[in-house]
Amino acid sequence: MERRSFFKSVGVLCGFLWLPATHSLSSGEGFPKPGKDDRCPVCGMFVNKYPKWAAGFVFHSGARYFHCCPKCMVHNLLSVPKYQPGETRENIRQIWITEYYTTRQRDAREVFFIAGTSLVGPMGLDLIPVAGDRAAETLKRDYNGESILRLDQITPDILDKARRGQLK
Ligand SMILES: [Zn+2]
């Protein structure tokens, strides 16, 4: 019995030790900020002119790419060898977006993307990133959205619709 409780307390201790690391990863800290010379690899626009829409990713090599808006970032993500020759999507360490309501940088794999809304970003109609399912439902309702998606559910077809500026 004594041994079992010893292992139990070690487990609890490890849990506590892990908490701060997990928290700092998901709280939006540690994402790179676009500088004044960073251009979107997809459309060529200067990214720091659109701080509320910026999105990007970081490769394991440390190479960082900044995009003017979510749909340029997702387009790049689906065609990494085209825009970053020699790299693959599997080599990406960090993917971030700017959350719509808070304008804070967040892990793109932790938020929802609302497709088919009437909201317009730097490149027109876009896929709007929102944190939390309640906020996702609210945004979809308020801006006449069509669907709520996770990053890996955004297919080339859905992206094409957004890039062509089609609402539905
Ligand atoms: Zn762009």
Side-chain angles (χ1 to χ4, degrees), residues 40 42-43 68-69 72 123:
C40 178
V42 176
C43 70
C68 68
C69 60
C72 277
M123 290 286 283

Side-chain angles (χ1 to χ4, degrees), residues 23-110:
H23 178 73
S24 66
L25 269 179
S26 59
S27 67
E29 291 163 38
F31 295 110
K33 301 272 185 206
K36 66 176 175 48
D37 296 325
D38 287 309
R39 283 171 179 261
C40 178
V42 176
C43 70
M45 294 206 293
F46 286 107
V47 174
N48 74 342
K49 286 183 178 175
Y50 311 100
K52 292 178 178 174
W53 294 92
F57 44 74
V58 181
F59 285 100
H60 285 293
S61 66
R64 309 179 306 177
Y65 291 89
F66 299 95
H67 305 78
C68 68
C69 60
K71 71 177 175 183
C72 277
M73 188 276 281
V74 177
H75 176 73
N76 191 162
L77 204 59
L78 293 172
S79 329
V80 166
K82 178 181 171 187
Y83 292 99
Q84 289 85 28
E87 288 286 13
T88 65
R89 184 170 175 164
E90 288 69 39
N91 291 342
I92 293 175
R93 177 166 62 86
Q94 194 182 52
I95 310 174
W96 59 269
I97 48 76
T98 305
E99 204 266 344
Y100 181 77
Y101 287 115
T102 59
T103 68
R104 288 190 61 189
Q105 289 171 291
R106 295 284 301 254
D107 188 323
R109 288 165 285 207
E110 290 180 359

